[in-house]
Amino acid sequence: MKQWILVFLLGLCLVGCTGEGKEPDYSGYGFTDVNWTRDSGHDIETIRFSADGSFYYSCACGNPVNDADLCEGYTYHEETNEIALEYMEPTEDMVTTIQIVQLSEELLELDFNGEIRTFERET
């Protein structure tokens, strides 16, 4: 019985030590916790990358853009300036990686598989 308790406690320590289960903190990045908007020609789109790793992307009517409602969150890779969207079951047509092309105080330019989309900070 003592062996099982020891194994259980060791397992808990390993999970805690690896950081699994923790929410990411992207609050230090300028693209997070901001509503970014763009006029797509037929509607206004809003995209938001929250500091906790959650993701939102919809048009003004509330419909998701690019299957964003199926996205479970994102991870940001600072070395490559890439945002990897996490889906439970991605399909072949889904955009799973977004490249940050340019970021300033007022503009966010993103590459969605070769399609450049420019967003402005919502005021």
Side-chain angles (χ1 to χ4, degrees):
M1 180 69 166
K2 289 180 183 178
Q3 291 172 334
W4 284 107
I5 292 172
L6 182 60
V7 169
F8 177 74
L9 292 175
L10 190 58
L12 283 177
C13 180
L14 288 174
V15 169
C17 293
T18 61
E20 285 186 36
K22 289 185 177 181
E23 288 185 358
D25 180 11
Y26 298 122
S27 59
Y29 298 101
F31 66 90
T32 62
D33 290 334
V34 175
N35 286 345
W36 299 94
T37 60
R38 80 175 192 120
D39 185 345
S40 67
H42 53 81
D43 206 348
I44 302 296
E45 297 176 352
T46 301
I47 195 167
R48 181 180 179 89
F49 301 94
S50 295
D52 67 359
S54 59
F55 172 73
Y56 173 85
Y57 190 16
S58 75
C59 62
C61 65
N63 288 332
V65 178
N66 289 36
D67 295 318
D69 58 332
L70 303 176
C71 184
E72 298 180 315
Y74 75 93
T75 53
Y76 175 60
H77 306 283
E78 185 176 13
E79 317 77 49
T80 59
N81 262 354
E82 287 184 345
I83 298 168
L85 301 179
E86 299 164 358
Y87 295 95
M88 184 175 286
E89 292 185 35
T91 64
E92 188 176 307
D93 297 333
M94 285 182 173
V95 174
T96 57
T97 304
I98 301 171
Q99 180 77 38
I100 297 177
V101 177
Q102 179 182 346
L103 172 64
S104 70
E105 190 68 28
E106 298 300 320
L107 290 176
L108 175 63
E109 191 174 74
L110 302 174
D111 181 343
F112 286 75
N113 286 344
E115 181 186 345
I116 304 297
R117 300 178 190 177
T118 303
F119 297 84
E120 296 178 355
R121 180 183 291 268
E122 187 177 77
T123 54

